[in-house]
PDB file of all heavy atoms in Angstrom:
ATOM      1  N   ALA A  94      -8.295-155.025 175.803  1.00 97.00           N
ATOM      2  CA  ALA A  94      -7.038-154.472 175.165  1.00 97.00           C
ATOM      3  C   ALA A  94      -7.090-152.958 175.179  1.00 97.00           C
ATOM      4  O   ALA A  94      -6.146-152.279 174.720  1.00 97.00           O
ATOM      5  CB  ALA A  94      -6.834-155.019 173.801  1.00 97.00           C
ATOM      6  N   ARG A  95      -8.189-152.383 175.693  1.00 97.00           N
ATOM      7  CA  ARG A  95      -8.393-150.862 175.655  1.00 97.00           C
ATOM      8  C   ARG A  95      -8.278-150.269 174.259  1.00 97.00           C
ATOM      9  O   ARG A  95      -7.732-149.148 174.045  1.00 97.00           O
ATOM     10  CB  ARG A  95      -7.357-150.165 176.589  1.00 97.00           C
ATOM     11  CG  ARG A  95      -7.478-150.516 178.105  1.00 97.00           C
ATOM     12  CD  ARG A  95      -8.664-149.750 178.640  1.00 97.00           C
ATOM     13  NE  ARG A  95      -8.815-150.166 180.089  1.00 97.00           N
ATOM     14  CZ  ARG A  95      -9.661-151.079 180.516  1.00 97.00           C
ATOM     15  NH1 ARG A  95     -10.401-151.792 179.726  1.00 97.00           N
ATOM     16  NH2 ARG A  95      -9.830-151.357 181.824  1.00 97.00           N
ATOM     17  N   ALA A  96      -8.763-151.037 173.259  1.00 98.00           N
ATOM     18  CA  ALA A  96      -8.710-150.528 171.928  1.00 98.00           C
ATOM     19  C   ALA A  96     -10.142-150.075 171.539  1.00 98.00           C
ATOM     20  O   ALA A  96     -11.167-150.586 171.913  1.00 98.00           O
ATOM     21  CB  ALA A  96      -8.282-151.648 170.923  1.00 98.00           C
ATOM     22  N   VAL A  97     -10.197-148.966 170.694  1.00 98.00           N
ATOM     23  CA  VAL A  97     -11.472-148.544 170.155  1.00 98.00           C
ATOM     24  C   VAL A  97     -12.021-149.698 169.170  1.00 98.00           C
ATOM     25  O   VAL A  97     -11.294-150.160 168.420  1.00 98.00           O
ATOM     26  CB  VAL A  97     -11.310-147.231 169.257  1.00 98.00           C
ATOM     27  CG1 VAL A  97     -12.491-146.864 168.571  1.00 98.00           C
ATOM     28  CG2 VAL A  97     -10.833-146.122 170.244  1.00 98.00           C
ATOM     29  N   HIS A  98     -13.310-150.017 169.374  1.00 98.00           N
ATOM     30  CA  HIS A  98     -13.907-151.026 168.553  1.00 98.00           C
ATOM     31  C   HIS A  98     -14.871-150.391 167.607  1.00 98.00           C
ATOM     32  O   HIS A  98     -15.929-149.881 167.987  1.00 98.00           O
ATOM     33  CB  HIS A  98     -14.565-152.100 169.459  1.00 98.00           C
ATOM     34  CG  HIS A  98     -15.043-153.323 168.801  1.00 98.00           C
ATOM     35  ND1 HIS A  98     -15.894-154.255 169.377  1.00 98.00           N
ATOM     36  CD2 HIS A  98     -14.717-153.834 167.546  1.00 98.00           C
ATOM     37  CE1 HIS A  98     -16.145-155.207 168.454  1.00 98.00           C
ATOM     38  NE2 HIS A  98     -15.435-154.969 167.383  1.00 98.00           N
ATOM     39  N   VAL A  99     -14.536-150.475 166.305  1.00 98.00           N
ATOM     40  CA  VAL A  99     -15.456-149.894 165.266  1.00 98.00           C
ATOM     41  C   VAL A  99     -16.267-151.134 164.688  1.00 98.00           C
ATOM     42  O   VAL A  99     -15.644-152.031 164.089  1.00 98.00           O
ATOM     43  CB  VAL A  99     -14.701-149.258 164.148  1.00 98.00           C
ATOM     44  CG1 VAL A  99     -15.617-148.717 163.085  1.00 98.00           C
ATOM     45  CG2 VAL A  99     -13.871-148.039 164.741  1.00 98.00           C
ATOM     46  N   ILE A 100     -17.537-151.164 164.898  1.00 98.00           N
ATOM     47  CA  ILE A 100     -18.365-152.257 164.521  1.00 98.00           C
ATOM     48  C   ILE A 100     -19.221-151.922 163.282  1.00 98.00           C
ATOM     49  O   ILE A 100     -20.162-151.026 163.327  1.00 98.00           O
ATOM     50  CB  ILE A 100     -19.318-152.729 165.661  1.00 98.00           C
ATOM     51  CG1 ILE A 100     -18.443-153.063 166.870  1.00 98.00           C
ATOM     52  CG2 ILE A 100     -20.207-153.837 165.175  1.00 98.00           C
ATOM     53  CD1 ILE A 100     -19.250-153.440 168.156  1.00 98.00           C
ATOM     54  N   GLY A 101     -18.958-152.611 162.146  1.00 97.00           N
ATOM     55  CA  GLY A 101     -19.818-152.449 160.974  1.00 97.00           C
ATOM     56  C   GLY A 101     -20.744-153.592 160.755  1.00 97.00           C
ATOM     57  O   GLY A 101     -21.625-153.511 159.879  1.00 97.00           O
ATOM     58  N   THR A 102     -20.505-154.705 161.490  1.00 96.00           N
ATOM     59  CA  THR A 102     -21.317-155.895 161.376  1.00 96.00           C
ATOM     60  C   THR A 102     -22.743-155.607 161.506  1.00 96.00           C
ATOM     61  O   THR A 102     -23.195-154.854 162.463  1.00 96.00           O
ATOM     62  CB  THR A 102     -20.906-156.949 162.412  1.00 96.00           C
ATOM     63  OG1 THR A 102     -19.467-157.103 162.353  1.00 96.00           O
ATOM     64  CG2 THR A 102     -21.563-158.296 162.304  1.00 96.00           C
ATOM     65  N   THR A 103     -23.605-156.192 160.704  1.00 91.00           N
ATOM     66  CA  THR A 103     -25.078-156.006 160.823  1.00 91.00           C
ATOM     67  C   THR A 103     -25.739-157.337 161.196  1.00 91.00           C
ATOM     68  O   THR A 103     -25.067-158.297 161.374  1.00 91.00           O
ATOM     69  CB  THR A 103     -25.671-155.460 159.500  1.00 91.00           C
ATOM     70  OG1 THR A 103     -25.533-156.440 158.496  1.00 91.00           O
ATOM     71  CG2 THR A 103     -25.023-154.121 159.082  1.00 91.00           C
ATOM     72  N   GLY A 104     -27.042-157.272 161.402  1.00 89.00           N
ATOM     73  CA  GLY A 104     -27.813-158.472 161.735  1.00 89.00           C
ATOM     74  C   GLY A 104     -27.637-158.783 163.230  1.00 89.00           C
ATOM     75  O   GLY A 104     -27.918-159.905 163.704  1.00 89.00           O
ATOM     76  N   LEU A 105     -27.227-157.788 164.085  1.00 94.00           N
ATOM     77  CA  LEU A 105     -27.087-158.016 165.452  1.00 94.00           C
ATOM     78  C   LEU A 105     -28.502-158.083 166.147  1.00 94.00           C
ATOM     79  O   LEU A 105     -29.361-157.225 165.892  1.00 94.00           O
ATOM     80  CB  LEU A 105     -26.323-156.848 166.124  1.00 94.00           C
ATOM     81  CG  LEU A 105     -24.854-156.676 165.509  1.00 94.00           C
ATOM     82  CD1 LEU A 105     -24.306-155.280 165.799  1.00 94.00           C
ATOM     83  CD2 LEU A 105     -23.915-157.705 166.159  1.00 94.00           C
ATOM     84  N   GLU A 106     -28.724-159.094 167.015  1.00 94.00           N
ATOM     85  CA  GLU A 106     -29.916-159.252 167.699  1.00 94.00           C
ATOM     86  C   GLU A 106     -29.822-158.711 169.125  1.00 94.00           C
ATOM     87  O   GLU A 106     -28.707-158.393 169.582  1.00 94.00           O
ATOM     88  CB  GLU A 106     -30.246-160.750 167.869  1.00 94.00           C
ATOM     89  CG  GLU A 106     -30.176-161.548 166.544  1.00 94.00           C
ATOM     90  CD  GLU A 106     -31.511-161.519 165.764  1.00 94.00           C
ATOM     91  OE1 GLU A 106     -32.522-160.989 166.282  1.00 94.00           O
ATOM     92  OE2 GLU A 106     -31.532-162.035 164.621  1.00 94.00           O
ATOM     93  N   ALA A 107     -30.966-158.715 169.878  1.00 96.00           N
ATOM     94  CA  ALA A 107     -30.938-158.068 171.206  1.00 96.00           C
ATOM     95  C   ALA A 107     -29.857-158.621 172.126  1.00 96.00           C
ATOM     96  O   ALA A 107     -29.157-157.894 172.799  1.00 96.00           O
ATOM     97  CB  ALA A 107     -32.300-158.253 171.891  1.00 96.00           C
ATOM     98  N   GLU A 108     -29.597-159.997 172.022  1.00 98.00           N
ATOM     99  CA  GLU A 108     -28.573-160.606 172.914  1.00 98.00           C
ATOM    100  C   GLU A 108     -27.203-160.091 172.550  1.00 98.00           C
ATOM    101  O   GLU A 108     -26.341-159.737 173.461  1.00 98.00           O
ATOM    102  CB  GLU A 108     -28.611-162.148 172.829  1.00 98.00           C
ATOM    103  CG  GLU A 108     -28.533-162.522 171.391  1.00 98.00           C
ATOM    104  CD  GLU A 108     -28.278-163.966 171.061  1.00 98.00           C
ATOM    105  OE1 GLU A 108     -27.390-164.636 171.666  1.00 98.00           O
ATOM    106  OE2 GLU A 108     -28.963-164.497 170.153  1.00 98.00           O
ATOM    107  N   HIS A 109     -26.934-159.884 171.274  1.00 98.00           N
ATOM    108  CA  HIS A 109     -25.602-159.356 170.831  1.00 98.00           C
ATOM    109  C   HIS A 109     -25.481-157.863 171.291  1.00 98.00           C
ATOM    110  O   HIS A 109     -24.420-157.511 171.803  1.00 98.00           O
ATOM    111  CB  HIS A 109     -25.449-159.406 169.309  1.00 98.00           C
ATOM    112  CG  HIS A 109     -25.659-160.767 168.710  1.00 98.00           C
ATOM    113  ND1 HIS A 109     -26.711-161.013 167.823  1.00 98.00           N
ATOM    114  CD2 HIS A 109     -24.959-161.903 168.917  1.00 98.00           C
ATOM    115  CE1 HIS A 109     -26.633-162.230 167.523  1.00 98.00           C
ATOM    116  NE2 HIS A 109     -25.614-162.898 168.120  1.00 98.00           N
ATOM    117  N   LEU A 110     -26.537-157.161 171.122  1.00 98.00           N
ATOM    118  CA  LEU A 110     -26.511-155.675 171.444  1.00 98.00           C
ATOM    119  C   LEU A 110     -26.277-155.559 172.999  1.00 98.00           C
ATOM    120  O   LEU A 110     -25.513-154.598 173.412  1.00 98.00           O
ATOM    121  CB  LEU A 110     -27.765-154.990 171.058  1.00 98.00           C
ATOM    122  CG  LEU A 110     -27.967-154.910 169.543  1.00 98.00           C
ATOM    123  CD1 LEU A 110     -29.338-154.374 169.179  1.00 98.00           C
ATOM    124  CD2 LEU A 110     -26.934-154.112 168.840  1.00 98.00           C
ATOM    125  N   ALA A 111     -26.814-156.421 173.793  1.00 98.00           N
ATOM    126  CA  ALA A 111     -26.607-156.362 175.230  1.00 98.00           C
ATOM    127  C   ALA A 111     -25.152-156.620 175.586  1.00 98.00           C
ATOM    128  O   ALA A 111     -24.615-155.938 176.458  1.00 98.00           O
ATOM    129  CB  ALA A 111     -27.521-157.418 175.986  1.00 98.00           C
ATOM    130  N   ARG A 112     -24.483-157.552 174.911  1.00 98.00           N
ATOM    131  CA  ARG A 112     -23.100-157.798 175.185  1.00 98.00           C
ATOM    132  C   ARG A 112     -22.210-156.659 174.705  1.00 98.00           C
ATOM    133  O   ARG A 112     -21.195-156.312 175.327  1.00 98.00           O
ATOM    134  CB  ARG A 112     -22.660-159.148 174.654  1.00 98.00           C
ATOM    135  CG  ARG A 112     -23.322-160.263 175.417  1.00 98.00           C
ATOM    136  CD  ARG A 112     -23.071-161.634 174.759  1.00 98.00           C
ATOM    137  NE  ARG A 112     -21.632-162.009 174.788  1.00 98.00           N
ATOM    138  CZ  ARG A 112     -21.161-163.128 174.188  1.00 98.00           C
ATOM    139  NH1 ARG A 112     -21.975-163.879 173.569  1.00 98.00           N
ATOM    140  NH2 ARG A 112     -19.857-163.383 174.230  1.00 98.00           N
ATOM    141  N   ILE A 113     -22.599-156.046 173.607  1.00 98.00           N
ATOM    142  CA  ILE A 113     -21.766-154.877 173.110  1.00 98.00           C
ATOM    143  C   ILE A 113     -21.939-153.723 174.132  1.00 98.00           C
ATOM    144  O   ILE A 113     -20.982-152.993 174.406  1.00 98.00           O
ATOM    145  CB  ILE A 113     -22.277-154.520 171.711  1.00 98.00           C
ATOM    146  CG1 ILE A 113     -21.826-155.560 170.714  1.00 98.00           C
ATOM    147  CG2 ILE A 113     -21.813-153.120 171.276  1.00 98.00           C
ATOM    148  CD1 ILE A 113     -22.471-155.559 169.331  1.00 98.00           C
ATOM    149  N   GLU A 114     -23.181-153.560 174.582  1.00 98.00           N
ATOM    150  CA  GLU A 114     -23.462-152.446 175.603  1.00 98.00           C
ATOM    151  C   GLU A 114     -22.600-152.695 176.809  1.00 98.00           C
ATOM    152  O   GLU A 114     -22.014-151.752 177.399  1.00 98.00           O
ATOM    153  CB  GLU A 114     -24.927-152.465 175.982  1.00 98.00           C
ATOM    154  CG  GLU A 114     -25.436-151.442 176.952  1.00 98.00           C
ATOM    155  CD  GLU A 114     -25.215-149.996 176.454  1.00 98.00           C
ATOM    156  OE1 GLU A 114     -25.304-149.798 175.171  1.00 98.00           O
ATOM    157  OE2 GLU A 114     -24.941-149.173 177.203  1.00 98.00           O
ATOM    158  N   ALA A 115     -22.458-153.932 177.281  1.00 98.00           N
ATOM    159  CA  ALA A 115     -21.715-154.252 178.414  1.00 98.00           C
ATOM    160  C   ALA A 115     -20.204-153.916 178.178  1.00 98.00           C
ATOM    161  O   ALA A 115     -19.533-153.352 179.002  1.00 98.00           O
ATOM    162  CB  ALA A 115     -21.803-155.778 178.810  1.00 98.00           C
ATOM    163  N   ALA A 116     -19.684-154.213 177.010  1.00 98.00           N
ATOM    164  CA  ALA A 116     -18.325-153.908 176.680  1.00 98.00           C
ATOM    165  C   ALA A 116     -18.059-152.414 176.618  1.00 98.00           C
ATOM    166  O   ALA A 116     -16.990-151.952 177.020  1.00 98.00           O
ATOM    167  CB  ALA A 116     -17.949-154.604 175.364  1.00 98.00           C
ATOM    168  N   SER A 117     -19.081-151.658 176.221  1.00 98.00           N
ATOM    169  CA  SER A 117     -18.861-150.255 176.086  1.00 98.00           C
ATOM    170  C   SER A 117     -18.878-149.434 177.463  1.00 98.00           C
ATOM    171  O   SER A 117     -18.648-148.253 177.435  1.00 98.00           O
ATOM    172  CB  SER A 117     -20.027-149.653 175.231  1.00 98.00           C
ATOM    173  OG  SER A 117     -21.225-149.522 175.940  1.00 98.00           O
ATOM    174  N   ARG A 118     -19.023-150.220 178.477  1.00 97.00           N
ATOM    175  CA  ARG A 118     -18.907-149.555 179.812  1.00 97.00           C
ATOM    176  C   ARG A 118     -17.411-149.295 180.115  1.00 97.00           C
ATOM    177  O   ARG A 118     -17.076-148.441 180.899  1.00 97.00           O
ATOM    178  CB  ARG A 118     -19.478-150.449 180.904  1.00 97.00           C
ATOM    179  CG  ARG A 118     -21.012-150.370 180.957  1.00 97.00           C
ATOM    180  CD  ARG A 118     -21.611-150.768 182.287  1.00 97.00           C
ATOM    181  NE  ARG A 118     -21.567-152.178 182.461  1.00 97.00           N
ATOM    182  CZ  ARG A 118     -22.601-152.951 182.036  1.00 97.00           C
ATOM    183  NH1 ARG A 118     -23.658-152.464 181.428  1.00 97.00           N
ATOM    184  NH2 ARG A 118     -22.541-154.281 182.189  1.00 97.00           N
ATOM    185  N   HIS A 119     -16.517-150.074 179.383  1.00 95.00           N
ATOM    186  CA  HIS A 119     -15.081-149.952 179.606  1.00 95.00           C
ATOM    187  C   HIS A 119     -14.347-149.505 178.403  1.00 95.00           C
ATOM    188  O   HIS A 119     -13.111-149.372 178.450  1.00 95.00           O
ATOM    189  CB  HIS A 119     -14.505-151.302 180.095  1.00 95.00           C
ATOM    190  CG  HIS A 119     -15.234-151.907 181.229  1.00 95.00           C
ATOM    191  ND1 HIS A 119     -15.153-151.478 182.503  1.00 95.00           N
ATOM    192  CD2 HIS A 119     -16.181-152.912 181.264  1.00 95.00           C
ATOM    193  CE1 HIS A 119     -16.032-152.104 183.243  1.00 95.00           C
ATOM    194  NE2 HIS A 119     -16.670-153.005 182.540  1.00 95.00           N
ATOM    195  N   ALA A 120     -14.999-149.345 177.311  1.00 96.00           N
ATOM    196  CA  ALA A 120     -14.312-149.035 176.046  1.00 96.00           C
ATOM    197  C   ALA A 120     -15.113-148.216 175.158  1.00 96.00           C
ATOM    198  O   ALA A 120     -16.307-148.080 175.195  1.00 96.00           O
ATOM    199  CB  ALA A 120     -13.881-150.400 175.301  1.00 96.00           C
TER     200      ALA A 120
END
Side-chain angles (χ1 to χ4, degrees):
R95 297 283 179 266
V97 172
H98 189 194
V99 178
I100 301 175
T102 308
T103 64
L105 298 160
E106 310 271 355
E108 52 169 313
H109 304 119
L110 295 173
R112 288 175 64 186
I113 290 168
E114 181 63 31
S117 77
R118 286 201 281 273
H119 310 285

